[in-house]
Amino acid sequence: MPYPTTRNHSENRTRLTGPARTTTLLLSALGSALVLTTACSGPGGVELGNDWKGSRTFALAKVDGLVTVVGINPDKPRAESLAVVPQQADDDDAISPHIVELADGRWLLTVPRKDGKPDRRYEINRKDHTLDGMTGDERLRQILPGKNLVAEVAGLADTKSASDAASSSVLVRDPANWTTKRELKVPGTIGFAASDPATDTVCLGSSADGASGNGTSVSVANLTDGKVSPVAVPSDLDVKDLACPSGHPVIVGSPASAKSGDIKVSLKRTDAETVVTVDGGRVDAVAATGSSIVVAAATGNDTELVEVDATSGKELHRARVKDLAASLNITPTSTGWLVYAEKTVTRVNLTTGKTKQFDLPGTLLDS
């Protein structure tokens, strides 16, 4: 998915990762972070659960007008609010917050602020059941976790190149102390961003005018040495998403001559990149494992998950989620793939095709 200044579908989702999901936040008054030990009624009447131990992953949702951290337990399966995010008067209500897991297992969330002020940052403290405040010094940046470093990607073109053309900056930072190691420049506006915490390489898609799709340029950025290398993108491919397994760019899109009908997934791999073409449906999300690539594509009122071999492109598994017209993110767990929608999460077993849907406590903002 594209990454504008709203919602990211990043590829730290293999965990991830990346597409664009815009949701307006309506925040109500709230105090500071809470210590949660038992299920209770939290600020604003939000019902808070206590399944911190069983939550394998976290998401952000708007619950009763408040931004909350939601724990996802795919084994039960269930999703429940665990903590309400502190609200301040200068929070930017028009831009969604961002949540991400770093390579060391820490979960961070950022809340945008008005008037170009630095985002607020919090670390999820699973032991004490709190949101611990962090010092933030940047505005509107998506965090892409690497193995030893992280990339902070600007959500808008914020600099200019030597030729006076718009470009986006990428800050390379040490997550141990958040010192900036270097700043990279990527031409145009970054619309897609993905990483894999197994390597210090990130994949970035950008366009001259900020629009996604045809005309998207894809680059690979090495966070260790700062080298940014472009990779080839087929001219007839309407790019919809990126994945970045082990720093290898997986470019996913639909052909210009796409037709409606059965969903077909084809793959072409080179040493530099992998191009996945999806015909017959709308591409909503992609994720990559060590040996396979999974695409979520909408067809009519349903969504199909198609898994193909990452090298040969051979189809391995396929499952249909009924009455799910759009997916906002997909992520693997040990008990199946999680498919996120606006109000629900569906656990999908790609081997058996079985699905189990459960409700979110509110409206999904980021996952």
mmCIF file of all heavy atoms in Angstrom, residues 259-285:
data_model
loop_
_atom_site.group_PDB
_atom_site.id
_atom_site.type_symbol
_atom_site.label_atom_id
_atom_site.label_comp_id
_atom_site.label_asym_id
_atom_site.label_seq_id
_atom_site.Cartn_x
_atom_site.Cartn_y
_atom_site.Cartn_z
ATOM 1 N N LYS A 259 -7.837 -7.529 -16.306
ATOM 2 C CA LYS A 259 -9.215 -7.879 -16.607
ATOM 3 C C LYS A 259 -9.873 -8.461 -15.361
ATOM 4 O O LYS A 259 -9.211 -9.005 -14.484
ATOM 5 C CB LYS A 259 -9.266 -8.885 -17.749
ATOM 6 C CG LYS A 259 -8.629 -8.403 -19.050
ATOM 7 C CD LYS A 259 -8.634 -9.491 -20.102
ATOM 8 C CE LYS A 259 -7.966 -9.012 -21.391
ATOM 9 N NZ LYS A 259 -7.926 -10.085 -22.427
ATOM 10 N N SER A 260 -11.178 -8.342 -15.289
ATOM 11 C CA SER A 260 -11.906 -8.947 -14.181
ATOM 12 C C SER A 260 -12.036 -10.442 -14.425
ATOM 13 O O SER A 260 -11.955 -10.914 -15.563
ATOM 14 C CB SER A 260 -13.293 -8.320 -14.045
ATOM 15 O OG SER A 260 -14.039 -8.497 -15.235
ATOM 16 N N GLY A 261 -12.222 -11.205 -13.362
ATOM 17 C CA GLY A 261 -12.328 -12.651 -13.475
ATOM 18 C C GLY A 261 -11.597 -13.331 -12.347
ATOM 19 O O GLY A 261 -11.378 -12.741 -11.285
ATOM 20 N N ASP A 262 -11.202 -14.580 -12.559
ATOM 21 C CA ASP A 262 -10.461 -15.311 -11.534
ATOM 22 C C ASP A 262 -9.105 -14.657 -11.288
ATOM 23 O O ASP A 262 -8.437 -14.195 -12.214
ATOM 24 C CB ASP A 262 -10.251 -16.766 -11.964
ATOM 25 C CG ASP A 262 -11.560 -17.529 -12.063
ATOM 26 O OD1 ASP A 262 -12.541 -17.096 -11.420
ATOM 27 O OD2 ASP A 262 -11.608 -18.538 -12.791
ATOM 28 N N ILE A 263 -8.711 -14.640 -10.018
ATOM 29 C CA ILE A 263 -7.443 -14.026 -9.651
ATOM 30 C C ILE A 263 -6.286 -14.926 -10.080
ATOM 31 O O ILE A 263 -6.238 -16.105 -9.732
ATOM 32 C CB ILE A 263 -7.385 -13.763 -8.137
ATOM 33 C CG1 ILE A 263 -8.419 -12.699 -7.756
ATOM 34 C CG2 ILE A 263 -5.988 -13.317 -7.710
ATOM 35 C CD1 ILE A 263 -8.527 -12.456 -6.277
ATOM 36 N N LYS A 264 -5.359 -14.341 -10.831
ATOM 37 C CA LYS A 264 -4.171 -15.054 -11.271
ATOM 38 C C LYS A 264 -2.930 -14.306 -10.798
ATOM 39 O O LYS A 264 -2.830 -13.089 -10.949
ATOM 40 C CB LYS A 264 -4.159 -15.176 -12.793
ATOM 41 C CG LYS A 264 -5.334 -15.973 -13.349
ATOM 42 C CD LYS A 264 -5.283 -16.040 -14.871
ATOM 43 C CE LYS A 264 -6.461 -16.833 -15.430
ATOM 44 N NZ LYS A 264 -6.436 -16.886 -16.922
ATOM 45 N N VAL A 265 -2.004 -15.032 -10.201
ATOM 46 C CA VAL A 265 -0.776 -14.443 -9.681
ATOM 47 C C VAL A 265 0.413 -15.042 -10.413
ATOM 48 O O VAL A 265 0.583 -16.268 -10.447
ATOM 49 C CB VAL A 265 -0.633 -14.687 -8.164
ATOM 50 C CG1 VAL A 265 0.669 -14.090 -7.637
ATOM 51 C CG2 VAL A 265 -1.830 -14.088 -7.412
ATOM 52 N N SER A 266 1.232 -14.192 -11.011
ATOM 53 C CA SER A 266 2.437 -14.652 -11.699
ATOM 54 C C SER A 266 3.649 -13.921 -11.129
ATOM 55 O O SER A 266 3.526 -12.835 -10.553
ATOM 56 C CB SER A 266 2.334 -14.409 -13.204
ATOM 57 O OG SER A 266 2.124 -13.041 -13.488
ATOM 58 N N LEU A 267 4.812 -14.533 -11.285
ATOM 59 C CA LEU A 267 6.021 -14.008 -10.644
ATOM 60 C C LEU A 267 7.204 -14.091 -11.591
ATOM 61 O O LEU A 267 7.383 -15.085 -12.302
ATOM 62 C CB LEU A 267 6.289 -14.794 -9.367
ATOM 63 C CG LEU A 267 7.516 -14.480 -8.515
ATOM 64 C CD1 LEU A 267 7.236 -14.778 -7.049
ATOM 65 C CD2 LEU A 267 8.727 -15.346 -8.974
ATOM 66 N N LYS A 268 8.023 -13.047 -11.590
ATOM 67 C CA LYS A 268 9.276 -13.045 -12.326
ATOM 68 C C LYS A 268 10.366 -12.548 -11.398
ATOM 69 O O LYS A 268 10.308 -11.425 -10.890
ATOM 70 C CB LYS A 268 9.191 -12.143 -13.562
ATOM 71 C CG LYS A 268 10.462 -12.158 -14.396
ATOM 72 C CD LYS A 268 10.320 -11.300 -15.645
ATOM 73 C CE LYS A 268 11.597 -11.330 -16.482
ATOM 74 N NZ LYS A 268 11.475 -10.477 -17.694
ATOM 75 N N ARG A 269 11.359 -13.390 -11.147
ATOM 76 C CA ARG A 269 12.420 -13.053 -10.186
ATOM 77 C C ARG A 269 13.763 -12.888 -10.879
ATOM 78 O O ARG A 269 14.129 -13.683 -11.759
ATOM 79 C CB ARG A 269 12.523 -14.148 -9.119
ATOM 80 C CG ARG A 269 13.555 -13.862 -8.029
ATOM 81 C CD ARG A 269 13.669 -15.013 -7.056
ATOM 82 N NE ARG A 269 14.675 -14.746 -6.028
ATOM 83 C CZ ARG A 269 14.417 -14.271 -4.819
ATOM 84 N NH1 ARG A 269 13.166 -14.009 -4.471
ATOM 85 N NH2 ARG A 269 15.381 -14.063 -3.941
ATOM 86 N N THR A 270 14.484 -11.835 -10.489
ATOM 87 C CA THR A 270 15.857 -11.637 -10.911
ATOM 88 C C THR A 270 16.716 -11.463 -9.659
ATOM 89 O O THR A 270 16.198 -11.440 -8.541
ATOM 90 C CB THR A 270 16.007 -10.396 -11.811
ATOM 91 O OG1 THR A 270 15.791 -9.215 -11.021
ATOM 92 C CG2 THR A 270 14.997 -10.423 -12.956
ATOM 93 N N ASP A 271 18.002 -11.325 -9.845
ATOM 94 C CA ASP A 271 18.882 -11.106 -8.696
ATOM 95 C C ASP A 271 18.567 -9.785 -8.002
ATOM 96 O O ASP A 271 18.772 -9.647 -6.795
ATOM 97 C CB ASP A 271 20.344 -11.125 -9.131
ATOM 98 C CG ASP A 271 20.813 -12.511 -9.555
ATOM 99 O OD1 ASP A 271 20.160 -13.486 -9.152
ATOM 100 O OD2 ASP A 271 21.810 -12.593 -10.288
ATOM 101 N N ALA A 272 18.075 -8.808 -8.771
ATOM 102 C CA ALA A 272 17.860 -7.465 -8.225
ATOM 103 C C ALA A 272 16.484 -7.281 -7.616
ATOM 104 O O ALA A 272 16.324 -6.534 -6.643
ATOM 105 C CB ALA A 272 18.085 -6.412 -9.305
ATOM 106 N N GLU A 273 15.446 -7.917 -8.182
ATOM 107 C CA GLU A 273 14.093 -7.703 -7.694
ATOM 108 C C GLU A 273 13.182 -8.849 -8.110
ATOM 109 O O GLU A 273 13.525 -9.674 -8.959
ATOM 110 C CB GLU A 273 13.516 -6.380 -8.208
ATOM 111 C CG GLU A 273 13.034 -6.383 -9.644
ATOM 112 C CD GLU A 273 14.148 -6.261 -10.662
ATOM 113 O OE1 GLU A 273 15.124 -5.543 -10.404
ATOM 114 O OE2 GLU A 273 14.038 -6.902 -11.727
ATOM 115 N N THR A 274 12.009 -8.895 -7.491
ATOM 116 C CA THR A 274 10.952 -9.827 -7.873
ATOM 117 C C THR A 274 9.718 -9.009 -8.216
ATOM 118 O O THR A 274 9.328 -8.112 -7.462
ATOM 119 C CB THR A 274 10.610 -10.796 -6.734
ATOM 120 O OG1 THR A 274 11.746 -11.637 -6.470
ATOM 121 C CG2 THR A 274 9.417 -11.677 -7.089
ATOM 122 N N VAL A 275 9.113 -9.302 -9.356
ATOM 123 C CA VAL A 275 7.893 -8.618 -9.778
ATOM 124 C C VAL A 275 6.748 -9.613 -9.716
ATOM 125 O O VAL A 275 6.796 -10.676 -10.339
ATOM 126 C CB VAL A 275 8.030 -8.045 -11.201
ATOM 127 C CG1 VAL A 275 6.696 -7.438 -11.655
ATOM 128 C CG2 VAL A 275 9.133 -6.993 -11.243
ATOM 129 N N VAL A 276 5.728 -9.286 -8.940
ATOM 130 C CA VAL A 276 4.541 -10.125 -8.811
ATOM 131 C C VAL A 276 3.383 -9.405 -9.494
ATOM 132 O O VAL A 276 3.046 -8.273 -9.120
ATOM 133 C CB VAL A 276 4.201 -10.401 -7.337
ATOM 134 C CG1 VAL A 276 2.930 -11.238 -7.225
ATOM 135 C CG2 VAL A 276 5.361 -11.109 -6.644
ATOM 136 N N THR A 277 2.791 -10.054 -10.470
ATOM 137 C CA THR A 277 1.679 -9.474 -11.217
ATOM 138 C C THR A 277 0.387 -10.183 -10.842
ATOM 139 O O THR A 277 0.321 -11.411 -10.864
ATOM 140 C CB THR A 277 1.912 -9.595 -12.731
ATOM 141 O OG1 THR A 277 3.151 -8.954 -13.076
ATOM 142 C CG2 THR A 277 0.783 -8.935 -13.503
ATOM 143 N N VAL A 278 -0.611 -9.388 -10.463
ATOM 144 C CA VAL A 278 -1.906 -9.936 -10.056
ATOM 145 C C VAL A 278 -2.963 -9.461 -11.042
ATOM 146 O O VAL A 278 -3.162 -8.260 -11.228
ATOM 147 C CB VAL A 278 -2.280 -9.488 -8.629
ATOM 148 C CG1 VAL A 278 -3.629 -10.077 -8.227
ATOM 149 C CG2 VAL A 278 -1.197 -9.895 -7.641
ATOM 150 N N ASP A 279 -3.634 -10.415 -11.673
ATOM 151 C CA ASP A 279 -4.682 -10.100 -12.640
ATOM 152 C C ASP A 279 -5.995 -10.695 -12.155
ATOM 153 O O ASP A 279 -6.016 -11.761 -11.533
ATOM 154 C CB ASP A 279 -4.322 -10.675 -14.010
ATOM 155 C CG ASP A 279 -4.990 -9.934 -15.146
ATOM 156 O OD1 ASP A 279 -5.915 -9.129 -14.865
ATOM 157 O OD2 ASP A 279 -4.617 -10.149 -16.310
ATOM 158 N N GLY A 280 -7.100 -9.997 -12.413
ATOM 159 C CA GLY A 280 -8.402 -10.526 -12.065
ATOM 160 C C GLY A 280 -8.944 -10.050 -10.740
ATOM 161 O O GLY A 280 -10.048 -10.415 -10.347
ATOM 162 N N GLY A 281 -8.202 -9.246 -10.004
ATOM 163 C CA GLY A 281 -8.667 -8.731 -8.713
ATOM 164 C C GLY A 281 -7.861 -7.514 -8.321
ATOM 165 O O GLY A 281 -6.857 -7.180 -8.953
ATOM 166 N N ARG A 282 -8.300 -6.827 -7.291
ATOM 167 C CA ARG A 282 -7.608 -5.635 -6.802
ATOM 168 C C ARG A 282 -6.624 -6.020 -5.704
ATOM 169 O O ARG A 282 -7.008 -6.591 -4.691
ATOM 170 C CB ARG A 282 -8.619 -4.633 -6.244
ATOM 171 C CG ARG A 282 -7.978 -3.291 -5.809
ATOM 172 C CD ARG A 282 -8.932 -2.428 -4.981
ATOM 173 N NE ARG A 282 -9.211 -3.015 -3.673
ATOM 174 C CZ ARG A 282 -10.401 -3.432 -3.295
ATOM 175 N NH1 ARG A 282 -11.438 -3.390 -4.121
ATOM 176 N NH2 ARG A 282 -10.580 -3.944 -2.078
ATOM 177 N N VAL A 283 -5.355 -5.690 -5.881
ATOM 178 C CA VAL A 283 -4.339 -5.996 -4.878
ATOM 179 C C VAL A 283 -4.502 -5.074 -3.678
ATOM 180 O O VAL A 283 -4.509 -3.851 -3.821
ATOM 181 C CB VAL A 283 -2.923 -5.840 -5.462
ATOM 182 C CG1 VAL A 283 -1.882 -6.188 -4.400
ATOM 183 C CG2 VAL A 283 -2.745 -6.701 -6.699
ATOM 184 N N ASP A 284 -4.635 -5.662 -2.497
ATOM 185 C CA ASP A 284 -4.764 -4.874 -1.276
ATOM 186 C C ASP A 284 -3.536 -4.949 -0.387
ATOM 187 O O ASP A 284 -3.217 -3.988 0.316
ATOM 188 C CB ASP A 284 -5.980 -5.340 -0.469
ATOM 189 C CG ASP A 284 -7.295 -4.823 -1.041
ATOM 190 O OD1 ASP A 284 -7.270 -3.823 -1.796
ATOM 191 O OD2 ASP A 284 -8.344 -5.421 -0.744
ATOM 192 N N ALA A 285 -2.837 -6.078 -0.370
ATOM 193 C CA ALA A 285 -1.704 -6.225 0.550
ATOM 194 C C ALA A 285 -0.804 -7.356 0.089
ATOM 195 O O ALA A 285 -1.230 -8.259 -0.636
ATOM 196 C CB ALA A 285 -2.200 -6.503 1.970
#
